[in-house]
Amino acid sequence: MSYGTADSLRPVTLDDVRGAQKMLTGVARTTAMEGSRHLSQLVGAPVHLKCENLQRTGSFKLRGAYVRIAGLLPEERAAGVVAASAGNHAQGVALASSLLGVRSTVFMPQGAPLPKVSATREYGAEVRLHGHVVDETLAAAQEYAAETGAVFIHPFDHADVIAGQGTVGLEILEQCPQVRTIVVGIGGGGLAAGIAVAVKAMRPDVRLVGVQAEGAAAYPPSLAAGRPVSLSNPATMADGIKVGRPGDVPFGIVGDLVDEVRTVSEGELSAALLLCLERAKLVVEPAGASPVAALLSDPGAFEGPVVAVLSGGNVDPVLMQRVLRHGMAAQGRYLAVRLRLTDRPGALATLLGALSVVDANVLDVSHVRTDPRLGLSEAEVELHLETKGPAHCVEVGRALREAGYTVID
């Protein structure tokens, strides 16, 4: 399905992006560019992090939303705007509308994280919760637009939005003029397309690499087919790039100007988020960490200096807890084991003593005595352990077996 209009489908040029940059003066921050010693050592060349997670509203989305709404005619502004989003675009539209004095209504899925819902309301939007998946939310927003005359603000499929996102590319060239490779996450494609327009017009030698989550990678099959292809059931923790179909406008730009689109696994996303938090001291959502995941998965594939765009930092605390644990497990720093022992006084203390000998830190213990699978004198224990790496995990398992415990998993 296409949501484009004749205006939205017009070509996006460097002049459009430069115009957007002027429009965003005093509105969007020029976000920091931070060097990463760890990633630089891994890649063998300087790696810099473009911190859009520190942008107002916590992501790059404010840029495109503001430029789009600022370009509306007076009668369109009077009718208000409407958007559909699970988080980042919602907040961008809400703040942009408030700054411009335009009434905004934002539809969000019923399962949207509460911090994102609260933030969208605080930025000034009327929030309506509808549907359980983004497609249902999007349909409701478009129906509202048709009924009320409110202008629908698409998250990526409009030339003005792409021009606004392209200002990230101008900042990258100003902050790191020697850049050779830019790595950026791709959902619908608005950010990658905008950066590509700006960068390729000024520095055609710079290599642009897009990154998608394996479970929501619509661009590789679309590029192979030569047209946008829809995924039936995109699935990834990285909700910021969880888009089932490329936008018509960004698809053409990405196909022409982006040199490569890579995919990363959920484990690689978790490890990247953990690295950003521990090494760079930056809170980044899974979608924002996708460029770092690409660097971790194949560090020799990127010519430096490299700029990785951290597109957002709006991560739900509950998801953060799960992702960090997943990331620690992927690095061999977290181990969950289930085992059986004789149900007698002191048995659990003996087990914990065996773990202390191999220096495994116990995070959580679950002790079950009554279960149809257990014998009369048996108990089942599930342990969550903090470990020091893959070799230590192997050592812990070996120590438990040598102590006579039956490890179930």
Side-chain angles (χ1 to χ4, degrees), residues 210 274 357:
L274 183 61
V357 171

Side-chain angles (χ1 to χ4, degrees), residues 153-179:
I153 306 300
H154 199 282
F156 49 81
D157 210 7
H158 195 283
D160 289 345
V161 172
I162 292 171
Q165 320 304 28
T167 58
V168 176
L170 294 181
E171 290 179 16
I172 290 173
L173 295 182
E174 292 166 1
Q175 295 170 312
C176 185
Q178 70 275 29
V179 63

Side-chain angles (χ1 to χ4, degrees), residues 51-67:
C51 300
E52 282 296 291
N53 59 310
L54 303 180
Q55 183 58 261
R56 297 178 72 178
T57 74
S59 88
F60 70 96
K61 290 288 190 178
L62 171 65
R63 298 173 183 263
Y66 187 91
V67 173

Side-chain angles (χ1 to χ4, degrees), residues 3-26:
Y3 307 107
T5 64
D7 178 61
S8 70
L9 294 171
R10 73 178 188 276
V12 185
T13 67
L14 176 60
D15 285 342
D16 292 328
V17 181
R18 285 176 169 158
Q21 188 176 47
K22 291 180 181 178
M23 192 179 295
L24 289 167
T25 301

Side-chain angles (χ1 to χ4, degrees), residues 335 337 339 354-355 358 360 385 387 389-407 409:
L335 180 64
V337 294
L339 49 83
L355 291 170
V358 291
L385 310 172
T387 51
H392 192 208
C393 291
V394 173
E395 181 186 356
V396 170
R398 182 171 58 247
L400 290 172
R401 286 188 291 271
E402 290 177 352
Y405 295 104
T406 302
V407 179
D409 56 24

Side-chain angles (χ1 to χ4, degrees), residues 247-272:
D248 293 323
V249 184
F251 175 75
I253 298 171
V254 169
D256 289 340
L257 301 180
V258 173
D259 297 285
E260 180 185 6
V261 176
R262 289 174 168 253
T263 61
V264 291
S265 68
E266 298 296 283
E268 289 163 346
L269 286 168
S270 297

Side-chain angles (χ1 to χ4, degrees), residues 207-272:
R207 182 171 180 80
L208 298 180
V209 180
V211 184
Q212 293 207 287
E214 286 179 354
Y219 264 88
S222 297
L223 292 171
R227 57 179 176 80
V229 173
S230 297
L231 299 179
S232 58
N233 187 29
T236 175
M237 72 174 79
D239 58 350
I241 53 174
K242 185 181 175 182
V243 177
R245 182 188 184 278
D248 293 323
V249 184
F251 175 75
I253 298 171
V254 169
D256 289 340
L257 301 180
V258 173
D259 297 285
E260 180 185 6
V261 176
R262 289 174 168 253
T263 61
V264 291
S265 68
E266 298 296 283
E268 289 163 346
L269 286 168
S270 297

Side-chain angles (χ1 to χ4, degrees), residues 88 116 185-186 211-213 236-242 264-266 268-274 276 283-294 309-316 319-320 322-324:
N88 288 347
K116 294 184 178 182
I186 296 183
V211 184
Q212 293 207 287
T236 175
M237 72 174 79
D239 58 350
I241 53 174
K242 185 181 175 182
V264 291
S265 68
E266 298 296 283
E268 289 163 346
L269 286 168
S270 297
L273 188 149
L274 183 61
C276 289
V283 176
V284 182
E285 61 189 271
S290 59
V292 175
V309 181
L310 307 183
S311 58
N314 292 319
V315 56
D316 178 48
L319 176 62
M320 171 71 88
R322 286 168 32 212
V323 170
L324 289 179

